[in-house]
Amino acid sequence: AMLGGLGGLPNDRHRLYLTDIQSAGRHLLAVIGSILDLSKIEAGKARLDEAHADLGAIAREAARLVTPQAEHRDIGIVLDIPEPAPMVIADRLKLRQLVLNLISNAVKFSDPGGVVTVGVRRRPEGGVVIEVVDDGIGMEPDQIATALLPFEQLASAHGRGGGTGLGLPLARAIADLHGGRLDIDSRPGIGTRVGVSLPL
């Protein structure tokens, strides 16, 4: 309300303070939301609001939300989505959260000038796969196991702070909730591929 001019327009310094407060509040709300979502899933209390969902639309929307973060770090986001894109029966908001977490992680662990590719494809054996591939710093096998644990952060060791350690655990939990699975293939210095397989 104050940023909108309630009580008079703030001066530039006050506007900067208010913007920081608003940004910190939104970040805190997102962290709390992730903790609650993961807790509900782990407690078996999460419910899916399932409907027909267009994976292409979900991937494009998630990529659009991460684009400012990627542009700030000079990282390109490439979409590899067939037309028409596969449809699934899923909770659209939870699936968007899953893809958003994966793209945000990929951007965070990519170097300036890198590229993150977001793909959707049908599996020959049935079902679909959402893939997020980066050419970033990559991980050792033991680091993959650590990255899948709640609140464990690999970012600080590489100067990539700012996370909560919930992105990958929550993405895997959402995939499990949909009867799918999350797989990670990564090589240090080469990059990381995260694939989420879902039933149609």
Side-chain angles (χ1 to χ4, degrees):
M2 293 172 71
L3 279 169
L6 183 66
L9 291 174
N11 62 39
D12 289 344
R13 187 174 61 155
H14 289 166
R15 182 177 295 279
L16 184 62
Y17 295 156
L18 291 169
T19 301
D20 286 345
I21 292 168
Q22 186 180 53
S23 176
R26 286 177 173 160
H27 175 70
L28 182 59
L29 183 63
V31 170
I32 293 170
S34 294
I35 293 170
L36 291 174
D37 287 341
L38 189 58
S39 298
K40 279 184 183 178
I41 293 172
E42 289 180 342
K45 300 291 185 182
R47 298 289 176 265
L48 294 177
D49 183 14
E50 291 184 310
H52 284 90
D54 182 331
L55 284 183
I58 289 171
R60 281 189 289 270
E61 187 178 354
R64 189 165 57 248
L65 290 171
V66 182
T67 293
Q69 172 191 348
E71 288 178 344
H72 179 71
R73 301 198 61 243
D74 189 28
I75 293 162
I77 297 180
V78 175
L79 298 176
D80 182 13
I81 301 169
E83 287 292 346
M87 300 286 290
V88 293
I89 301 294
D91 185 315
R92 190 180 181 284
L93 289 179
K94 283 186 171 59
L95 218 52
R96 185 185 70 174
Q97 184 178 19
L98 180 158
V99 179
L100 190 58
N101 286 357
L102 297 185
I103 301 174
S104 294
N105 254 22
V107 168
K108 180 163 63 174
F109 287 98
S110 292
D111 293 317
V115 174
V116 172
T117 302
V118 183
V120 175
R121 61 180 173 82
R122 293 181 181 273
R123 302 176 66 205
E125 62 271 32
V128 295
V129 176
I130 304 166
E131 288 183 325
V132 177
V133 181
D134 67 66
D135 54 6
I137 60 177
M139 294 181 281
E140 298 281 1
D142 62 322
Q143 290 179 309
I144 295 174
T146 300
L148 287 168
L149 297 174
F151 305 109
E152 294 290 338
Q153 295 184 49
L154 301 177
S156 57
H158 299 281
R160 314 285 171 107
T164 59
L166 290 172
L168 282 177
L170 184 54
R172 182 171 67 172
I174 292 171
D176 291 346
L177 199 58
H178 281 86
R181 73 172 193 274
L182 182 146
D183 299 301
I184 301 176
D185 180 27
S186 187
R187 294 175 62 192
I190 303 296
T192 300
R193 171 200 167 274
V194 182
V196 176
S197 302
L198 298 170
L200 283 173

